[in-house]
Structures are given as C-alpha cells and as structure tokens.
C-alpha cells in the first residue's frame, strides 16, 4: 500500500572544460559525453567518465571537488564500466579507478591532488565482452571475447583464468525416474554464443549465454566464486542477455521478449516479461512490462536491469529511438507494481543508470550531457482525519490508481475497490504523485510532464447496491515542463466552502531553473448548483526559499505548508511528527526542541488524538498528542532545553512506559487509521492487509460518546470490542448517576441492561459504587415497568456486593400476589443467576415454606432430600422452628435469639447452645435484665477461667457475685491487692488469709517481684524474716534495713542483711565476668571477619562461578554453598513441604548467626548491643548496692571498693570496644553500579551487601554518675 515518491532531484550539466582529458584534447566546441559513473562511498563522491576523460563530482550537492588525471594514448569510446577503489597502498587523498573496456586493456587511473598517472594492469587478448565486480569489490569477473569467464582478485591478479566448460552441474536436479518426459530436467553440453552476455555477481556469478542445442536459446549458468559450474537453467524462448542478481541473493532477474505461441503460429504474444530464476536454475515467477506506446515493438529494447541495494526496487532501463525510459518496479503480495517512470530529457538516451550502493533509494542516471540524481521515499497515500467522511487509500500500479475506502471495505492488494483505469485519464504514463484530500472525497494526480487532474471519488458510505466508489474527473490542467527544466514531484488538494460557493485549492510543488522550489496554487470555484462544474479559476506561483522541500498536509488546517530539505517547517503552529529513514520518530512544536518518540519506528499515523506508530520490535505504540504537546511546551519554558539546543545535542527520547502498546505481527506497517470505526489497518510484509481495533482508539471514541451523552453508542462499542462496561460508570460517575434515566431510555433492551449490571457487579469498582449504581438502575426500572424489567431488577439485587438475595425473593413474593404469570420465568431466571442450593437456603431463612417449595420445584431438587426435613420443621412451634432453621443455616446468633423467644422452658438448652458456640456476648445482651443473666455470667466466667484469662474471669465472677471464684481468679492472676480486699469483704478467717498469703508470695518470688512479696509477708503473714529475705534477694537493702529497724529485729541484720550483701556482690561480679568474656569473643571474631572481608571479598560474599549459570539440572547430593544458597534456607528439591513448625524453626536459624554464614557479622553486632543493655542493667544494681557496702562493715567497704573498680574498668573497656566496632574504615568506596543484567539481579540482595554497621544502630551508653566518691 506504499507508493514511491520523489524526494529530491539534482541535475548537473557536464561541460567540456570540466573534464580532465585522458587523450588528446577535444576539438574546440566538442561536448563531453558521459559514458560511465562510479561511487566513492568513503569520501561521499561520485565519479563520472566521458568518452575523452574523467571528472569527480560530490553528491548530493554535486559540487566539483577535483580534477587531475594524466592523458593516455587511447579513447574510451567503448568504455563499459568505471569502478572506484580506495586501495590500502594509496594515501587517504588518493584512490584508483578500474576501467574495463570492450578493447583489450584493463587500466588503473590514480587520482591525486596533482596530475595522476595511468597504469595498464593487463591485456586481454580476445577482448572484454562483459565484467562485474562482487558487492564487496573483492573479486572481478570478466567474460572475454572468446566468451570464457575469468576471475580476478582485487589487485587484478587472475586466480581462475578461462574457466572451462562443464557438462554436469554440481547443483543440477537429478532425474529419479518418475514423471513425464516434459517434466524432466535435461543436462547437456552448452555452447556460449557470440551474443554479448550479461554478468552479475554475489557469492556466485551468473552468465547468460545461448544453449548449444538447436534451436539456439539462451540459458543462465551459475558459477561459484571458485569458478565451478553450479547450475544451468532451462533454455527459455526469447530470453534476453540482461541479468541482474538480487542483492539479497534470492533471485536472478532477466527479460523475455515476445515469442510465438506455437510452431505453426505466426502471431506473437505481445508480451515483454521480466522473468526470475532461482540459483538452482528453476523458474520463479515473472511479470509483464508496460509496453511503450509504439505499435512496433522493434523500436525499443531492454538495455539493463538494476536492483536497489535493499532489493526493494527493480529499475528497468528501456532504450528507445525517441528517448530512453527508466521504470521502477516494486512487489507486494506476489504482484509487481510500476511505481515510477522517467523519460530521458530532450528525447536523449541514458548512458548509465545505477543505484547508490548504500543509500537504498537513490538512483543516478547519466545522459550524454547531464547527471540526474533522484532520491525516493516510501509514502502511504491515505487519510485518517476525523473530519473526513471516508477514509481512503490509493496505490500506484502502472497507469492505474487503485482506490479502497477502508471505512467500508478492506480489499487486499493487488485488488482494490476501484481504479482510475476505467476513467478518462489525461495521460498514459505512470503518475509522479497522487494525493487524497484530508477533509473531502477528492483525489489529485500529477504526471511528469506537468499534467494535473482532480477526481471526485463519490464514495458510498452506507449499504446499498452499485459501486462503492464512482470517480468523476472534475478538473484538469497542464502546467508543462518548461522544455524539461521544471520537475514536478508533489500535489495536494483540499476543498472548503466560502460564502455560498464551493472552492477547491490545488497546490503543485516542483523545481524550476536553479533547482529552487516553487508552488503553483490553483483555486477553482464551482457552481453551487453543481459542484462538479468549474465556474472560475485563479492561480499564482510562490517561490520557496530553498530546494528539495515537500508539502505537508494537515487534517484540520486546509492550506498545506512547505518543509525544507533540512527539516525546517515554515509554519508557526501545530504539532509536527516526522519519521526519518533510520527509524527515528520525532515530534516538535514551534519554538521547542524536538523529542524522540521511538528510535526503531517503521511507520506512523496521527489520528484520534494519538500518534500511532509501529516499531521493528513488532509493537504498535499509541502516544497521546495532548501529552506530547504538554511535554514540548514545558521544554520551551525550561532553561535545560535551551542549553541542549545550543549544545547541539540530539533529541532526548520520551519515556513510553505510560503509553499503551499492543503486539502486532512481525514487520507490520500502518496503512491508515479509521477513527470512525476505531480501526487500524496494517499491511504485512507479504502484502496482505489486516484490520485491528486497538483499545486506545476504541476508548477514545467511547469517551467522546460518553461525554456527548450517547450512552447506547458507547455501550455497543464496548460490547463489540469486549471493553469492560464499567468504563461507562468509571469515566464520569456523577454524570452517569444523573443520567440513569437517559441511559435506560437509550439502551432499553432487557438483555443489554442485564449485561451492563453483570459487568458492574464483577468490576473493580468499590462496593459502595456498585451498590449505588445497582440501586439507581433498579429504582428507575421499578418506576418504568416492573413486569418488563423484572429480570433486570433481579440482576440488580444479585450482583450487588454483598448480594441481596432476600430482597430478590421478597420481590418474587410480591409478584406472586400481583402478577402470578411472571413468577415462573422470574424464578427460573434468578435460579440461573444464583446457585440453587444457596437460593434454597435463602428462601428457607425467610421462614416461608411456600417460597422454599417454589424454589426447590423450579431448581429440580429431589423431593426426597428436602420434604422430610420440611415436614419435621412444620411440626415444631414457631420460634423453636425458626431456631432449628437458623441452626441448620449456621446462623447461630439468630438461632439463639429465636430460642430465647421460644420461652423459659428452653433456657437450659439455650445455655448449652451458648456454651457450645461461645455466644457469650450475644447471650449477655439477650438476657440482660432477666433472672438468667447471672447464670450466663457464671458460664462466661468459667469459660474465661479455663482459657487462663484470670483477670477477665475475676471481673465476670465479681459481676455475678460469686466472690469465692473471683478470689481464686485474682490469686491466679497475682492480683494480691484485689484478692485481700475480697477476703476482707467475705470475712475470711485469719489462718486462711495467712495460708493464702504464703501461697501467693511463693508465686510472686518466682516472678522476681520481691518488693511485692515482702509487702504481703509483712501485712498479711506477719513474717518479718521472710520479708527481709525477699528484699535482700531483690537488692532492696534500704527497704530491708527499714523493716528490721521498724519492727526491732536486730538479729536479722546479722543473719540476713550482712550475708545477703556479700551474696549480691558476688553475683554482680559473676555477671560482669560473663559479660566481659562474651565481649572479648565477639570483638575477636568481628576483627577476624572484617580482615577476611577486606582480603578476600569474593570468598566472603560468595561470588558465583560464571560457568555455573548454564547448569540446568542439579542433583540432590550435598554441594558447597554458592552465592545464593548462603542467603537462603530453602529445603532441597526432594524434601517435603514444611509445616508451620518447620518454618518457624527456619526463621530462627536465619538470625542464629551460625559461623560461616553471611549473617554472622550482623549477629555479632546485635550481640554486642545486648551486652551493652546487660551492662546498663548491672550498673543500676551496682549503684543500689554500693551505699550499703560502704556502711555495713569494713569488709563490706573493701568489697564495695573492689566492685566499683571492677565495674569502672569494664565500663571503659566496653565504651572503647563500641567505638572501635562502629567506626567505618576510612576511604571505603561504594561499588559503582553498572547497568547490567547481573546488577539488576543483585538489587534484591543489596541489603545483604550493605555493611552491617549501617543496619545495626550503634548502642548509646549514657554517662551517668553511678559510683561513690567515698570508695
């Protein structure tokens, strides 16, 4: 669906004074006739040889960049080919030409800044008949005058001279003995005729010669680069000498002239075909050339076939008496199209035609006096405007324009909905350019000679009989070519209404003298009564400021604007999007820097508010235009954009993460976008078309319909393209809630409403939103017609979250009374929506047995399953019946309430039911003000007591006035204050109180609550000795000495306090020694680990062996830990799934700090933190003990002094160790992140690689006064 449009045209005339003579000077006034051309890709130069000399020209500007070739003793009248080489033996300012002539010599011309030399490399005695270089210019193949192929190295050293004839092909097909005689490939000795062969070379080279068997017909022989015959084609009648091997190596092209239809037939077929052969000699398709206008075919011949470097375009050079023609052919969907046709200026002949070896679509043609360079570009002629009623596409094929309206039809090429071949065309040649109006149903065509024609396509949009398109020629003119000086290359057409007359504007772009662009603008006004009859016409010419520009059409701005060759656009508004030939898709607004949308795009279109593009990654991207404009406008306001523009840096690529994408078939290209049908037309590499409906295009149309209140149109679009219908609510919830009635009026269909409600219920909307939408729709439907919309109303009840099944069944009960004829269908429908068993239980929970029977009947449940149960229920009292139903439905709270309503006779059963299902809160609420409330409290307290929740149990027992059980609960909870308060209220005997005191103090001492135990001993047991012992055990010497003095027990000082002080001092010393030992071990191990980490980081972190990454299978045998296994504790492949106990065990192992694991250092740091905590606690105990050691005795004072010194030394040692451990080594550098796959994989382990001292905070050791200055 692409056309080949002319991008640039450069013409340079060759004068005699521009030529460096290689022989005797030309006579005065003689012209320089160009004979051959050659390319120097490295220096971007084009060299041309004349019959008497050579000159160098640079392209694309074609400036003369050098002369200076020495003369030689012969003329190049019969020159065949000129080839340029940059030889390694020459300097960068030098090069060499290889010249092969039809004479006997091969010569080398050295090109220098000064005069050059001519060196004869060799002489071919029989003469040179044909020559060809390999694509890499490493091998030269010559066919001598004796018709013998010869191979030469680049240095013209022959390594296969005069290749001998061979009778057997190494790749020839083999006769396996089956098939008819006509289907067998014959292998025979061939003879090369004296006709001039054509030679082309890739990895092989092919020679076109005549067969040795009569009748003498031409065959194509394929040789390897070693000179070995590979294959021979069948003898083809009428095969001509031209041969061209496709650069991709797939086919060999040749031509076949018209032949007789049979031995006895004197008529000719009238065809002239381009035929293709495979490398093995088999025929592989053909196509017929468009015949020249002469009636006699002998007036022309095919001079040569030339493939473009990308194998996409085949140039056919036709030599005619009245001027040569070059035709450009492309293929698609197994059909060949004639895209361009050029005639030599002034009815002259082309002397050389060649494609540029690297610029794929640049064609160089030489006439005797001119060099013509044409650069082409692929162009898709299609419109995608919302303002256009039809979306058409046109394809050039020979003298036809194939038209297809994609809004109504998708016709794959080479077929089409219509073509201009049946219309009255003003010219018989292939058009140069075609254009469609972006806003109207118009088609404009321009031909090389300046003939312009405009058609009204008259496309039928709706269904009906007749042609889908009926083109009508409405205007034509002839601008002329100014004797070949004007080159027309582009046309645009647009139509607009002005006052009461219709006006059409046609703009034709071409280049005049000097190559400067000019635009011819024609405004044609039509009669309002018949817009197909021109009434008046005005025209003017605008000179452009440059050359090789192009016209850019806009979808909403009718006059086109001109873009210069360097990309500058002379227009001060709009967003511009352009695709470079290297695949870079960029956009720009006036005044902003360009932004790169994609670096691998192959096609794009702008429609429906998106820049739609396809990439070589086989994706279609949809970039919102509004987002692009906003981004570019922000660049205009930012200073960074100006700096980037001044620095000359390339455009930054926009992030496409927020753009919607979808996968497309490999190699797909965009033909057009049809906004009205929300479709994207793609062409596959093989040429067929596919139409898809991308979600962004669909959503854009749906949103516009929703904003315009076209609810049904939006609904049908979502339904057709499988878009979640919740978008109707989600797009604008307030607007939908306000327009529910309009939505119902437009949609109306019950099935559509059911589908909408079902999608809403399954959507990701919030439960409140779903409920509000369902209620609003249901309310509107109930008002309109309950009988018509009963199914939709039931759907609204069911799809709510949570569903309201009871309300739906209640509506069925109302219908049973008012409209019984609707009940049956309604019940069947709700059973279709909801599981029958769930619906049966819901009906049973409504205590309506008739409804239960109706649901069971239409659900086709087995009566043996439910009838006995229903009979049993019918025999029970009302509330007890409901209790049984609720218990069956596991509605235990409601069942307990019904059992309460059944009467006091069922209280014991209710109490057991309450205890069984643990409904204590519900039971307390039900029997709040009744006599049974205390029984419920006792049951609740007993349950709490059994669960060891003694505090709550004590409160519940006290509330139930069961103080004995409350005392037991307080005792178990160690709440001794509440316990002894209740004992006083209950007048418990003193002996029993003392027994309780000894019992609870034992528990308090086991919990190390020494002051509280001492208080109980003193207040309720009266045991001062045990109180003093308890206080001494808790290092509470101040309180112990106070009690001893208060109760005048001096013997306890000697028996309890003095020995107890020594015991506490000894215990603190042991604790300090234990802490010190742990500290020494942790510090030593940390030093060892850090040394290992600094010396062998790979061994410490466990770097993986790169060779292990390709291992796919691992055995169950034990192996050394790797980088990953050291971080994980996963079970082996053969182990069973671990239970929760095993998982907890594994979690404990992770923090265990086992030696050799990566977590060991972190574990050691946490251990040091714990030692600091223990030291802080020990400091508090030392501070409490030291004053008493000072006062009790000299021995105690000495022990106090020693304790203070020991603890002070350890405190300093611990502080120093903490400072050393949490000091990060100086000069430590963080590893530089590398953007690689391995780095991204290790990001998840980044926390593991962080230094543990950054993960474990340094413990704070406060400087407090804890010692005594008197010690």
């Amino acid at each position: 669906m692409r056309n080949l449009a002319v991008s640039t045209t450069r013409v340079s005339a060759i004068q005699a004074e521009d030529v460096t003579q290689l022989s005797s000077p030309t006579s005065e006034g003689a012209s320089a006739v160009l004979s051959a051309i050659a390319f120097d890709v490295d220096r971007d130069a084009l060299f041309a040889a004349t019959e008497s000399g050579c000159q160098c020209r640079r392209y694309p500007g074609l400036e003369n960049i050098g002369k200076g070739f020495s003369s030689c003793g012969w003329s190049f009248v019969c020159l065949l080919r000129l080839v340029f080489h940059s030889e390694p033996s020459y300097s960068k300012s030098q090069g060499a030409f290889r010249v092969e002539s039809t004479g006997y010599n091969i010569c080398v011309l050295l090109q220098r800044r000064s005069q050059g030399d001519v060196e004869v490399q060799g002489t071919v005695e029989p003469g040179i008949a044909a020559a060809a270089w390999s694509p890499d210019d490493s091998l030269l193949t010559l066919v001598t005058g004796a018709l013998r192929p010869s191979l030469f190295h680049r240095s013209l050293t022959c390594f296969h001279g005069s290749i001998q004839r061979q009778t057997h092909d190494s790749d020839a097909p083999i006769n396996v003995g089956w098939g008819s005689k006509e289907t067998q490939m014959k292998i025979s000795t061939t003879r090369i005729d004296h006709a001039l062969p054509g030679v082309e070379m890739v990895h092989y080279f092919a020679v076109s010669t005549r067969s040795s068997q009569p009748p003498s017909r031409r065959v194509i022989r394929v040789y390897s680069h070693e000179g070995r015959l590979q294959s021979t084609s069948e003898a083809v009648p009428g095969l001509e000498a031209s041969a061209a091997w496709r650069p991709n190596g797939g086919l060999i092209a040749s031509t076949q002239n018209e032949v007789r239809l049979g031995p006895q037939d004197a008529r000719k077929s009238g065809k002239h075909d381009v035929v293709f052969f495979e490398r093995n000699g088999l025929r592989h398709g053909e196509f017929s050339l468009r015949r020249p206008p002469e009636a006699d075919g002998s007036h022309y011949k095919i001079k040569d076939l030339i493939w473009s470097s990308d194998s996409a375009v085949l140039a056919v050079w036709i030599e005619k008496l009245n001027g040569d023609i070059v035709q450009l052919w492309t293929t698609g969907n197994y059909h060949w199209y004639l895209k361009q046709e050029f005639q030599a200026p002034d009815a002259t002949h082309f002397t050389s035609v060649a494609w540029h070896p690297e610029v794929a679509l640049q064609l160089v043609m030489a006439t005797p006096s001119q060099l013509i360079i044409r650069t082409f570009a692929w162009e898709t002629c299609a419109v995608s405007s919302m303002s256009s009623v039809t979306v058409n596409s046109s394809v050039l094929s020979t003298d036809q324009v194939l038209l297809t309206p994609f809004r109504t039809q998708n016709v794959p090429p080479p077929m089409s909905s219509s073509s201009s071949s049946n219309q009255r065309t003003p010219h018989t040649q292939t058009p140069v350019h075609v254009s469609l109006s972006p806003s109207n149903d118009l088609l404009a065509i321009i031909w090389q000679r300046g003939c312009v024609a405009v058609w009204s396509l008259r496309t039928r949009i709706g269904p009906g009989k007749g042609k889908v398109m009926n083109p009508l020629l409405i205007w034509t003119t002839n601008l002329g070519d100014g004797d070949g000086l004007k080159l027309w290359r582009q046309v645009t057409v647009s139509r607009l209404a002005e006052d009461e007359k219709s006006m059409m504007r046609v703009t034709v772009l071409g280049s005049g003298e000097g190559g400067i662009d000019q635009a011819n603008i024609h405004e044609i006004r039509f009669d309002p009564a018949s817009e197909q009859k021109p009434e008046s016409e005005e025209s003017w010419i605008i000179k452009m400021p440059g050359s090789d520009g192009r016209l850019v059409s806009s979808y909403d701005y009718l006059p086109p604007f001109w873009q210069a060759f360097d990309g500058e656009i002379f227009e001060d508004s709009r967003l511009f999007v352009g695709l470079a030939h290297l695949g870079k898709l960029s956009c720009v607004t006036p005044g902003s820097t360009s932004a790169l949308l994609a670096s691998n795009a192959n096609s794009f279109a702008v429609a429906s508010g998106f820049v739609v593009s396809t990439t070589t990654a086989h994706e279609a991207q949809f970039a919102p235009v509004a987002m692009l404009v906003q981004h570019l406008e922000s660049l205009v306001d930012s200073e960074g954009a100006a700096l980037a523009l001044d620095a000359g840096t390339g455009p930054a690529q926009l992030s496409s993460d927020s753009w919607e994408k979808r996968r497309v078939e490999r190699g797909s290209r965009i033909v057009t976008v049809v906004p009205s049908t929300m479709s994207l037309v793609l062409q596959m590499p093989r040429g067929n078309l596919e139409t898809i409906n991308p979600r962004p295009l669909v959503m854009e149309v749906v949103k516009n319909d929703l904003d315009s209140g076209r609810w049904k149109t939006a609904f049908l679009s979502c339904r057709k393209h499988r878009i979640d219908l919740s978008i109707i609510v989600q797009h604008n919830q307030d607007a939908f809630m306000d327009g529910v009635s309009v939505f119902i009026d437009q949609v109306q269909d019950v099935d559509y409403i059911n589908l909408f409600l079902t999608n809403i219920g399954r959507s990701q909307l919030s439960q409140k939103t779903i409920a509000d939408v369902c209620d609003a729709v249901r309310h509107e439907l109930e008002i309109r017609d309950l009988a018509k919309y009963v199914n939709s109303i039931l759907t609204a009840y069911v799809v709510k979250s949570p569903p309201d099944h009871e309300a739906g069944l209640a509506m069925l009960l109302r219908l049973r009374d008012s409209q019984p004829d609707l009940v049956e269908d309604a019940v069947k429908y709700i059973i279709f929506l909801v599981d029958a068993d769930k619906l049966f239980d819901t009906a049973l929970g409504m205590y309506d047995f008739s409804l239960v029977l109706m649901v069971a009947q239409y659900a086709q449940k087995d009566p043996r399953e439910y009838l006995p149960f229903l009979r049993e229920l019918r025999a029970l009292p009302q509330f007890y019946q409901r209790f049984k139903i609720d218990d069956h439905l596991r509605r235990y709270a409601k069942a307990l309430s019904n059992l309460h309503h059944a009467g006091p006779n069922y209280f014991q059963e209710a109490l057991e039911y309450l205890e069984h299902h643990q409904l204590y809160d519900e039971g307390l609420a039900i029997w709040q003000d009744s006599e049974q409330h205390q029984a419920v409290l006792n049951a609740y307290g007993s349950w709490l007591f059994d669960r060891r929740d003694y505090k709550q149990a004590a409160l519940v027992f006290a509330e139930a006035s069961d103080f004995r059980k409350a005392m037991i609960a307080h005792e178990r909870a160690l709440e001794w204050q509440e316990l002894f308060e209740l004992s006083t209220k209950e007048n418990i005997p003193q002996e029993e109180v003392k027994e309780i005191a000894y019992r609870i103090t034992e528990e308090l001492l086991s919990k190390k609550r020494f002051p509280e135990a001492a208080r109980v001993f003193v207040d309720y047991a009266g045991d001062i000795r045990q109180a003093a012992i308890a206080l001494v055990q808790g290092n509470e010497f101040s309180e112990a000495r106070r009690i001893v003095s208060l109760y005048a027990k001096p013997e306890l000082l000697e028996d309890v306090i003095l020995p107890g002080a020594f015991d506490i001092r000894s215990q603190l010393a042991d604790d300090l020694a234990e802490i010190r030992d742990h500290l020494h071990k942790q510090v030593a191990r940390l030093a060892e680990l850090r040394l290992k980490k600094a010396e062998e980081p790979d061994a410490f972190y466990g770097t993986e062996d790169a060779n292990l990454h390709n291992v796919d299978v691992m055995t169950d045998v034990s192996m050394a830990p790797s980088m990953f296994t050291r971080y994980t504790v996963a079970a082996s492949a053969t182990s069973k799934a671990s239970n929760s106990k095993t998982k907890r065990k594994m979690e404990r192992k992770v923090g265990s700090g086992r030696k050799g694991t990566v977590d060991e250092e972190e574990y050691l740091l946490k251990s040091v933190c714990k030692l600091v905590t223990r030291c802080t606690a020990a400091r508090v105990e030392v501070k409490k003990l030291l004053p008493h050691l000072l006062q009790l005795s000299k021995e105690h004072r000495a022990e106090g002094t020693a304790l203070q010194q020991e603890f002070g030394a350890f405190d300093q040692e611990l502080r120093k160790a903490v400072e050393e451990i949490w000091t990060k080594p100086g000069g430590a550098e963080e590893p530089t992140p590398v953007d690689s796959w391995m780095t991204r994989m290790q990001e998840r382990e980044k926390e593991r690689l962080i230094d543990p001292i950054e993960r474990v905070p340094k413990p704070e050791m406060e400087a407090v006064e804890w010692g005594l200055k008197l010690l």
Side-chain angles (χ1 to χ4, degrees), residues 749-769:
D749 189 88
V750 175
D751 292 335
Y752 286 172
I753 296 176
N754 293 342
L755 178 63
F756 170 74
L757 293 172
T758 303
N759 277 265
I760 292 296
R762 297 178 179 178
S763 67
Q764 300 297 323
L765 299 174
S766 63
Q767 293 187 4
K768 183 179 183 303
T769 302

Side-chain angles (χ1 to χ4, degrees), residues 1214-1265:
L1214 181 59
R1215 291 178 183 274
K1216 181 178 179 181
V1218 169
E1219 291 297 330
E1220 292 178 354
I1221 291 172
W1222 265 270
T1223 300
K1224 192 173 182 179
E1229 298 182 357
E1230 296 292 336
T1232 303
V1234 181
D1235 187 14
S1236 64
W1237 177 85
M1238 192 60 185
T1239 304
R1240 293 192 297 270
M1241 290 295 293
Q1242 290 178 346
E1243 283 296 328
R1244 302 189 64 87
E1245 299 296 335
K1246 188 175 180 180
E1247 294 184 0
R1248 296 280 188 179
L1249 299 179
I1250 297 176
D1251 196 336
I1253 63 176
E1254 297 181 6
R1255 292 199 301 269
V1256 181
K1258 177 183 177 182
E1260 297 293 335
M1261 298 186 65
E1262 299 180 1
V1264 296
E1265 289 291 337

Side-chain angles (χ1 to χ4, degrees), residues 192-491:
I192 303 178
D193 200 353
H194 290 278
L196 182 64
V199 180
E200 277 295 328
M201 183 168 180
V202 191
H203 296 294
Y204 304 85
F205 67 92
V207 181
S208 177
T209 60
R210 291 191 179 275
S211 174
S212 60
Q213 294 183 352
S216 179
R217 294 178 177 177
R218 186 171 293 275
V219 296
I220 294 179
R221 289 184 172 87
V222 177
Y223 296 86
S224 68
H225 67 281
E226 298 174 349
R228 184 178 303 167
L229 179 63
Q230 296 292 312
S231 63
T232 302
S233 69
E234 283 189 274
V236 179
L239 188 66
E240 296 180 324
S242 57
W245 206 318
R246 201 170 188 175
N248 60 16
L251 298 173
I252 303 171
S254 185
T255 57
Q256 182 182 7
N257 202 352
E258 49 192 15
V259 297
R260 297 180 186 276
L261 295 178
Q264 306 299 327
D265 194 352
R267 295 177 301 167
K268 295 184 177 181
S269 64
K271 295 196 306 180
H272 203 152
D273 296 340
V274 174
V275 295
F276 300 100
F277 296 89
E278 298 178 4
R279 186 176 62 83
N280 56 11
L282 298 180
R283 185 79 170 265
H284 190 90
E286 70 280 328
F287 68 89
S288 297
L289 290 173
R290 178 177 178 270
R291 293 184 59 81
E294 287 85 0
D296 188 357
S298 62
H299 291 172
Y300 78 96
K301 70 174 183 178
I302 306 300
K303 185 65 180 273
D304 200 2
L305 302 175
I306 311 100
W307 287 99
S308 63
S309 60
D310 61 351
S311 304
V313 184
L314 176 62
V316 181
W317 178 5
I318 302 175
E319 191 177 65
K320 295 171 41 181
L321 294 179
N322 60 345
D324 290 1
I325 292 177
V326 174
Q327 296 179 352
L328 303 184
W329 294 79
T330 64
T331 183
N333 214 14
Y334 308 104
H335 180 79
W336 285 86
Y337 301 87
L338 175 57
K339 293 296 186 181
Q340 291 285 351
E341 188 175 15
F342 303 104
Q343 190 168 6
D346 301 327
T348 58
H349 297 281
F350 290 119
T351 59
S352 181
V353 177
W355 290 99
H356 191 279
E358 289 190 354
V359 182
L361 296 179
Q362 189 173 81
L363 182 66
V364 180
M365 298 170 288
T367 66
S369 61
Q370 289 182 337
L371 275 177
I372 303 173
I373 299 180
R374 291 183 185 268
T375 304
F376 303 92
W378 292 109
E379 180 184 73
T380 301
C381 184
V383 292
S384 305
S385 175
M386 289 290 291
S387 60
S388 179
V389 179
T390 62
V391 178
N392 299 323
S393 177
S394 63
V395 180
L396 283 173
S397 180
T398 314
D399 57 351
Q400 301 179 4
V401 179
L402 308 180
L403 300 167
T404 300
F406 282 105
R407 179 172 178 177
T408 57
Q409 292 184 347
N410 185 347
V411 182
M415 299 180 292
S416 62
S417 299
S418 179
S419 67
S420 63
S421 60
N422 298 326
Q423 306 301 322
R424 180 171 56 88
T425 57
H427 208 285
T428 58
Q429 289 187 345
T430 303
V432 176
H433 188 258
V434 296
S435 175
L436 290 166
S437 172
S439 57
N440 298 97
D441 206 20
L442 298 176
L443 170 68
I445 304 177
I446 185 171
W447 283 265
Q448 183 180 2
R449 297 297 186 182
C451 183
V452 184
V454 178
W455 276 268
S456 175
L457 299 180
R458 299 190 296 180
T459 305
R460 174 171 53 82
I461 301 300
K465 297 181 179 180
K467 298 179 180 180
V468 69
M469 300 183 74
N470 189 17
L472 176 66
L473 183 64
I474 61 175
W475 180 79
T476 182
T477 188
N478 194 342
L479 303 177
D481 60 354
D483 297 330
L485 298 178
K486 292 184 179 180
L487 302 175
W488 306 107
R489 63 176 182 273
Q490 193 176 1
V491 63

Side-chain angles (χ1 to χ4, degrees), residues 952-966:
Q952 292 295 329
L955 294 176
V956 173
F957 284 135
E959 182 70 17
S961 301
D962 193 344
F963 298 109
R964 280 287 183 175
K965 290 184 178 179

Side-chain angles (χ1 to χ4, degrees), residues 10 36-49 54-62 65 81-87 94-100 111 133-137 154 306-309 352-366 371-375:
R10 302 292 177 90
I37 56 178
F39 296 93
D40 180 6
V41 178
D42 296 334
R43 298 196 306 164
D44 194 28
L46 172 67
F47 297 90
C54 214
Q55 72 167 350
C56 171
R57 295 253 175 180
R58 179 179 296 275
Y59 64 89
L62 292 180
I65 62 170
R81 187 171 180 182
L82 178 69
V83 181
F84 181 84
H85 293 282
S86 294
E87 294 287 354
Q94 299 177 353
F97 293 100
R98 304 275 191 242
V99 180
E100 305 100 27
Q111 184 247 335
W133 284 88
S134 63
D136 58 355
D137 292 337
R154 180 176 184 150
I306 311 100
W307 287 99
S308 63
S309 60
S352 181
V353 177
W355 290 99
H356 191 279
E358 289 190 354
V359 182
L361 296 179
Q362 189 173 81
L363 182 66
V364 180
M365 298 170 288
L371 275 177
I372 303 173
I373 299 180
R374 291 183 185 268
T375 304

Side-chain angles (χ1 to χ4, degrees), residues 138-150:
S138 61
L139 295 177
L140 170 66
T141 303
L142 295 180
V143 178
T144 65
L147 302 181
R148 297 275 185 169
S150 299

Side-chain angles (χ1 to χ4, degrees), residues 633-654:
E633 289 178 350
S634 65
L635 291 181
V636 175
D637 300 333
S638 64
E639 298 179 358
L643 294 177
L645 186 62
D646 296 339
T649 58
Q653 184 166 357
L654 296 177

Side-chain angles (χ1 to χ4, degrees), residues 1109-1125:
H1109 287 285
N1110 295 325
V1111 178
D1112 295 330
V1113 180
M1114 300 186 69
T1115 64
D1116 293 330
V1117 299
S1118 299
M1119 54 175 49
S1122 66
M1123 173 183 176
F1124 299 102
T1125 57

